[in-house]
Structures are given as structure tokens and as C-alpha cells.
Amino acid sequence: MSQTSKSKPTSLPKRPSIFNWRTFWGLLFLASFVWSLHSAGVFEADLINEGGWNLVWRFLVAAIHPDFSREFLQLTLDATFKTLAYAVCGTFFSVLIGLAAGILSSEVWWESVLKTQKRKLITQSPWLVVRGVLAIPRAIHELIWGLFFVNIFGLDPLVAVLAIAIPFGAITAKVFSEILDETPRQPLMALLNSGVPPLNAFIYSLIPQAFLNLLSYAFYRFECSIRSAAVLGIIGAGGLGYQIFLSLQSLRYEQMWTFLIALILLTGATDFWSAMLRRRLGAPSRLDLNVLNLSGRKKPLYQNDPVVKVSFLGTVVLLIFSFWYVQADYSKLYSPRTFQLLAGVFQDAFPPDFSQLSQLFELSAKTLAMSILAMAGAGLGGILLSFPAANNFLLSGGVGEKRSPQPPLIRGAGEKNLLSGGVGEKRSPQPPLIRGAGENLKTSFLRGAVENLKPPLKRGARGDLRGNVVLFVTRFLLLVARAVPEPIWALIFLFVLFPGILPGAIALSLHNLGILGRLMAEVVENLEQRPITSLKALGATDSQVFLYGILPRTLPRFVAYILYRWEVCIRSTVIVGLVGAGGLGRLLAEQLSSFDYKGLFTTLIVFLVLTFSVDLISASVRRSLR
């Protein structure tokens, strides 16, 4: 045995080199962050507008007494219904677009249609064409779509519905195609080999398998649609966003707080209903798509749950109500006047004007710096708040529960040897009969009895009460952060900060912090418990359990979420720019107000190139982290 072990010495695993892609991306991020701080003027003076503190004080004081008069509450209810109806109609069309375009933009569809998996060039050609076409509407923010449709359809509810449906449909198509490509293909191949047409094979094999993932993402899109419907109010589409913007411009902060409370309640109710339904369906994480952990999904147990049935019935009722409430004029989609206006806009926009490229490059750099600062702040804040916002971290029995000394009655078996008469006991001159009874009574029975007889409030409920308070406060902060639209945050910070990319970066950071914190908290809530339980059983301290059992398994997914939101954030820089926060968005606002369609078209081309560049960098970093 000894000779065999000497002849074949076991070698330790080779330490990975520090010169790898992860190190490269980390150093690049640090350099980009410092450059972004410099571009935002953080190292310079005159950042604060001292005269704006009075407005901030009035805004905060107004939160104590919002306007709850009867007439105003009726107006708030109408605006809330309008925002909800826009979101429902927009999500309905975006899911339809996403399902059809998602199938067409998936690799597995073209492999099934062309009946080959070997000649990649043949299958990837149409797949790349479809994805390239979908990338254009996906890269343009819904607010830009809304401004474009206002010029075509006027102030019609159709503007808000289409402005949500088109870009969200393209985003949904990309995600749906990735889900279909990651779904196991054995049932699909069995049907195709039996001569079943590709579409029927998809309907009976791949789509039912991926249904929960598709449904989970559709819920997430609905939550995003509510926030977008509020943002579209800024361009005059109506709803809560429009009323908030009017109240802020007229300095009626009491009314503004009433609308903000309604928006927070609407967002919170949607979040709660979505989370409850997804959990009952067996899809607890709304954005598993970023890691596509399809194999780890739990088997659904509640398909016949009454809550699920009532929810689907309520969804049908909500759809009918929303289409009736919106009253959009869909005949405008095919009217001759629409085609005339479209032809006029394209005639005015072509050819694009590239005479101001240097200014566009400078503004692109500022836009990029704004997005980097925003995601650095949102990512760091989201990671810090995600653990207290998870419902299983601070409560008893959760992954981050502090270990408490076990009561003697429970641990008796393990410490039997340390009790009187045991092998680990120190010898004492006292006779066993005299000391044995007394010691055992003190060390095991009395302490255990007293511990077990304590009321629950004194033993565990006190800790749970503290954990519940922290959980509620953290989740409420995250809800407020993501419920308030980015332009509203930007306008508030423009009270005390001079115009530039810094107030825009802070506004985007706060909004994305609310979204990232909630998504990251779900990662913590859905962690596998067995490695953590094993570490606790081996005697690891709380900090060791966190550092070796929780953080390594959550951090890669946190980074994936941050990169995903960066792709969304670069699009959102436009909307904070529209309210004066700098970057390409501010130039777009000036070109729109002066009807400079040639300049507007050129700016959009530059913005698309910037968005695609960020998408490529984000995808490369995520690949290197897998």
C-alpha cells in the first residue's frame, strides 16, 4: 500500500493564474469607475445647489400630509386604473410578440425546420437575421417609442400600448428564445423523428416543458410594464406618471405624494400577487433566465390550488376590463393618414446628419459614465440590502440564522460524556452518589427545563420579531426605490444638484437598486439548504457559514443580475436625460422640441451602437463568470 502510494503521489489541483478574464474585467471596471467619477465632476467643486434645500424640505414635509380629499382621491383612482390598464394591454401584446418572435429567433426552431444540427452555418444564418432585426426595437427605450408614436397617432391611448408592446415584445422574444434553446430536447426530437411538423412538435413538447419559465418571465415583464406605463405619462399618455409630473412641475407636493403612494401600492400589490402565484406554481424566482437553471426548478405542487384558479380567472377579467378602460383606437394602425405621416417622418429623417459626430461621441462617453456609476451604486446597495430583504436570512431556521447554544435536554446525548460519571469528567473527591445527582440537576435538567419552559416570545419570537421588522423595513425601502420612476428621482435630485450626469446617475442607481435588491433577495431565499446545514453541523461559525456557504453561491448570480440591469440601464439614460440630467437623452430632447428629425435619427444611430456595445461587453463578462 505504502509503495503504491509512493509510486503515484497525489498532486494538488493547480492554482489558477491571476492573469485571467475575471481579473481583466475587474481591473477594467475599477478603471472605468474612476473615469466615470471624473466625468461626473465628483472631484470638482460646485456640485451642490444650496438654494435647492428649501424645495427638498418642502417636499419631505409634504409627505406627512398628502392630499386625501374625496375629489382628489377619485382623480388618483382614475389615474391608477389608467396606468394598470396600459400595463395589462402592453404586456398582453408583448407576450404575443415575444412568443411568436421567440420561436423564430431560437436556434432549436431552425434546426428543427432545416432538419440539421451539424451544418451550423445553415441554421445560424436565419437565426442571426431574426435576432438582428429584433435587436433594433429592443435597444430603443419605450419613452422614445412613445415620442415617435405621439407624432403619428397624437395623444391617443394607443401610443402607450404600442410603446410598451414593441420594445418589451422584442426583449421578451430574446429571453423566450434563450429559454427554449436551454430546454431539454429529447421529447422534441422524438416527435420530429416520428414525422410530426416542427410547429406541432413545439406545441406538444418544448413549450409545455418551458411553460413555467415563460410564465415566470411574463410576470416579471408585467411588473416592468407598470413602471413603464408610469414613465410614459411624462410625455402626456396620462395615468399616474403624468399626474406626478404635473404636480412636481407646479410644486404641489401634497398631491404628488398622494400619487406616489398610489403608485407604490399598485407596484407592491402586483409584486405580492406575482410572488404568491409563482411560488404556488413552483417558479419562485422571477428571473431565473439569467442563469437558466432549468434543471434545479422544483416540481410544481399547486396546479389545482384555488388561489391559482382564482388568479387566472382574475387575469381574464383584468384583460377585458383593461381593453375596455383604455379605449384605444386600433383603426389608426391601418388608416391612410398614418402611412402618410410615417412617410413624412422618414422623408424628413433621411439622410442622417453626421456633421456633429464629435459632440455625439462626447455625449456618448457621458452616457456610458452615467450608466457605470448608476450600476456600481445599485449593485453595491442591492447586495447589501438583499440579505436582510430575504425572508429566510434573519428569521429562525433561515440560512443566516445565528447559532444559539443548544439547551442541555436537546444536546444531552452529545455532552453525556461531560456530565457526572462520564469519561471526560474531572475526578473529584466527592462520592458519585452525592455529586452526581446535584451536578446533573444543575447542568442538564434544570437548565433544560427552564429553557424549555420559557415563553416563545422570550426564546425565539423576540429574534423573529426583530428579523421581521428588518425584513419589512428593507423590503419597503426597495419597493419605494423601484416604484418611483427614474425621471421623478432625477427631478428631485436636480433640486440640490446642478444639471449633469451625476443626478441622472443617482436617479438610475436608486431605481435599479430597488429592482436588483428584490431579485437578489430571491436568490438568497431559493438557496439550497444542504451545504449550509452541513457547515453548521461541522461547527462553522456564523461568519464562516456566510463566507463559505452563502456568498460564493450567491455572488456570481448577483453579478449576472447587475450586468443584465446594465443593459437595461443604458437604455434608461435617455429618460433621465430628457428631464435635464445630461448625456444623449438631453440632446434627444432638444432635437425633438426643435423638430430636427435628421439630427434625431443620427443621435438614435449612435445610441443604438452604444447600446449594442454594452450588450456585447455584458454578455462577454457573464460568459467569463460561468
Side-chain angles (χ1 to χ4, degrees):
M1 290 291 290
S2 60
Q3 289 177 352
T4 305
S5 61
K6 285 179 181 177
S7 60
K8 294 181 179 179
T10 55
S11 59
L12 292 173
K14 191 176 180 181
R15 185 186 291 273
S17 171
I18 59 170
F19 300 104
N20 52 42
W21 278 108
R22 296 187 181 190
T23 310
F24 169 76
W25 290 122
L27 291 174
L28 185 62
F29 165 71
L30 287 178
S32 304
F33 183 68
V34 174
W35 167 75
S36 302
L37 288 174
H38 175 72
S39 300
V42 174
F43 303 120
E44 301 171 3
D46 297 334
L47 285 175
I48 307 294
N49 177 17
E50 299 292 341
W53 288 112
N54 183 35
L55 290 174
V56 173
W57 176 248
R58 283 180 55 194
F59 173 75
L60 294 176
V61 169
I64 304 172
H65 43 82
D67 190 347
F68 285 148
S69 62
R70 185 175 178 180
E71 296 77 13
F72 197 74
L73 285 180
Q74 286 179 346
L75 176 64
T76 307
L77 189 63
D78 178 66
T80 306
F81 281 155
K82 190 168 286 186
T83 300
L84 178 63
Y86 285 157
V88 171
C89 296
T91 306
F92 175 75
F93 286 119
S94 68
V95 171
L96 287 183
I97 296 170
L99 192 58
I103 292 175
L104 292 176
S105 59
S106 63
E107 280 187 285
V108 63
W109 168 258
W110 292 105
E111 288 174 1
S112 305
V113 171
L114 301 176
K115 300 184 183 305
T116 176
Q117 298 181 43
K118 296 179 180 178
R119 286 175 290 178
K120 286 288 182 183
L121 184 63
I122 297 176
T123 58
Q124 286 190 350
S125 298
W127 171 72
L128 286 173
V129 170
V130 177
R131 287 216 166 186
V133 171
L134 289 174
I136 296 173
R138 192 175 70 239
I140 301 175
H141 194 273
E142 47 271 22
L143 196 65
I144 302 298
W145 280 110
L147 289 168
F148 174 71
F149 288 131
V150 163
N151 289 329
I152 304 297
F153 303 119
L155 288 177
D156 190 278
L158 186 62
V159 170
V161 176
L162 289 180
I164 294 173
I166 291 178
F168 280 16
I171 295 171
T172 306
K174 177 176 180 287
V175 175
F176 277 11
S177 66
E178 290 176 356
I179 291 174
L180 292 174
D181 283 336
E182 293 291 331
T183 303
R185 304 182 184 183
Q186 292 86 349
L188 173 72
M189 299 310 296
L191 289 176
L192 290 174
N193 291 331
S194 303
V196 178
L199 184 59
N200 292 345
F202 263 62
I203 293 173
Y204 288 103
S205 63
L206 214 57
I207 292 178
Q209 285 177 268
F211 176 71
L212 277 183
N213 292 283
L214 303 176
L215 185 68
S216 181
Y217 185 73
F219 278 124
Y220 174 71
R221 262 303 128 204
F222 178 54
E223 296 169 23
C224 296
S225 295
I226 288 183
R227 292 190 285 269
S228 295
V231 170
L232 287 167
I234 293 174
I235 61 170
L240 285 171
Y242 176 67
Q243 299 294 345
I244 290 172
F245 192 62
L246 281 183
S247 304
L248 190 59
Q249 281 191 323
S250 56
L251 306 182
R252 295 175 181 171
Y253 300 130
E254 291 82 5
Q255 296 179 357
M256 180 182 166
W257 273 107
T258 309
F259 292 126
L260 281 178
I261 291 170
L263 186 57
I264 291 168
L265 288 177
L266 178 62
T267 308
T270 308
D271 191 6
F272 175 76
W273 172 65
S274 167
M276 180 184 66
L277 189 58
R278 281 185 291 103
R279 195 166 293 279
R280 286 175 181 270
L281 287 170
S285 180
R286 73 192 72 189
L287 209 59
D288 237 3
L289 53 111
N290 285 305
V291 289
L292 293 172
N293 186 22
L294 303 177
S295 59
R297 174 140 295 173
K298 294 178 181 177
K299 187 179 179 181
L301 300 174
Y302 300 100
Q303 291 98 334
N304 297 321
D305 192 290
V307 175
V308 177
K309 292 181 178 177
V310 171
S311 296
F312 278 100
L313 182 63
T315 303
V316 175
V317 174
L318 188 60
L319 265 174
I320 297 171
F321 167 78
S322 299
F323 277 98
W324 169 79
Y325 198 82
V326 164
Q327 296 286 323
D329 185 5
Y330 295 100
S331 65
K332 288 184 176 179
L333 287 173
Y334 48 85
S335 70
R337 183 175 179 275
T338 299
F339 291 109
Q340 289 175 2
L341 289 173
L342 275 174
V345 168
F346 284 113
Q347 191 175 2
D348 291 341
F350 282 96
D353 180 12
F354 288 105
S355 61
Q356 297 180 333
L357 271 183
S358 58
Q359 183 192 8
L360 288 172
F361 285 142
E362 183 183 347
L363 292 175
S364 298
K366 287 187 176 180
T367 303
L368 184 63
M370 188 194 306
S371 69
I372 291 173
L373 287 179
M375 292 319 301
L380 180 61
I383 291 173
L384 292 177
L385 292 179
S386 62
F387 294 106
N391 61 15
N392 62 342
F393 190 73
L394 293 178
L395 303 182
S396 61
V399 295
E401 181 195 19
K402 289 186 176 180
R403 294 182 308 134
S404 59
Q406 290 179 331
L409 275 184
I410 299 173
R411 73 179 185 209
E415 295 191 358
K416 191 183 291 181
N417 292 339
L418 295 176
L419 298 180
S420 62
V423 293
E425 183 194 23
K426 292 183 179 178
R427 291 181 178 277
S428 166
Q430 289 180 318
L433 183 63
I434 298 174
R435 61 186 166 83
E439 289 296 323
N440 281 335
L441 194 63
K442 288 178 183 176
T443 55
S444 64
F445 180 76
L446 274 183
R447 273 199 296 164
V450 169
E451 187 69 24
N452 287 327
L453 286 174
K454 282 181 181 177
L457 184 64
K458 292 184 178 178
R459 276 191 287 120
R462 182 180 295 173
D464 277 0
L465 180 63
R466 193 185 308 120
N468 277 317
V469 170
V470 173
L471 177 70
F472 175 78
V473 171
T474 314
R475 286 196 172 187
F476 181 73
L477 290 176
L478 293 176
L479 175 63
V480 172
R482 67 177 178 269
V484 177
E486 303 97 314
I488 304 301
W489 279 125
L491 286 171
I492 293 171
F493 281 99
L494 280 170
F495 286 160
V496 292
L497 294 173
F498 288 110
I501 65 172
L502 188 58
I506 296 173
L508 290 170
S509 177
L510 276 175
H511 184 76
N512 285 286
L513 162 67
I515 297 171
L516 280 176
R518 190 68 193 95
L519 292 174
M520 292 172 177
E522 285 186 351
V523 173
V524 180
E525 290 170 0
N526 297 324
L527 271 181
E528 177 67 44
Q529 297 288 320
R530 283 175 294 186
I532 299 167
T533 307
S534 300
L535 281 173
K536 288 180 179 178
L538 289 172
T541 63
D542 296 328
S543 57
Q544 287 171 335
V545 170
F546 180 76
L547 290 175
Y548 296 104
I550 298 176
L551 204 57
R553 296 162 61 216
T554 54
L555 203 54
R557 298 183 68 180
F558 287 173
V559 175
Y561 281 140
I562 293 170
L563 291 168
Y564 168 74
R565 285 305 302 180
W566 187 32
E567 298 173 15
V568 180
C569 181
I570 194 71
R571 299 167 62 245
S572 303
T573 53
V574 172
I575 57 175
V576 294
L578 287 174
V579 296
L584 285 171
R586 189 169 186 176
L587 180 63
L588 279 171
E590 293 172 359
Q591 290 167 336
L592 280 168
S593 59
S594 60
F595 301 101
D596 180 12
Y597 290 116
K598 288 185 188 298
L600 179 68
F601 186 52
T602 312
T603 308
L604 278 179
I605 292 174
V606 174
F607 187 71
L608 285 176
V609 172
L610 180 63
T611 307
F612 291 151
S613 303
V614 168
D615 284 2
L616 287 174
I617 295 172
S618 171
S620 301
V621 179
R622 276 191 286 174
R623 263 198 305 275
S624 68
L625 291 177
R626 286 176 184 169

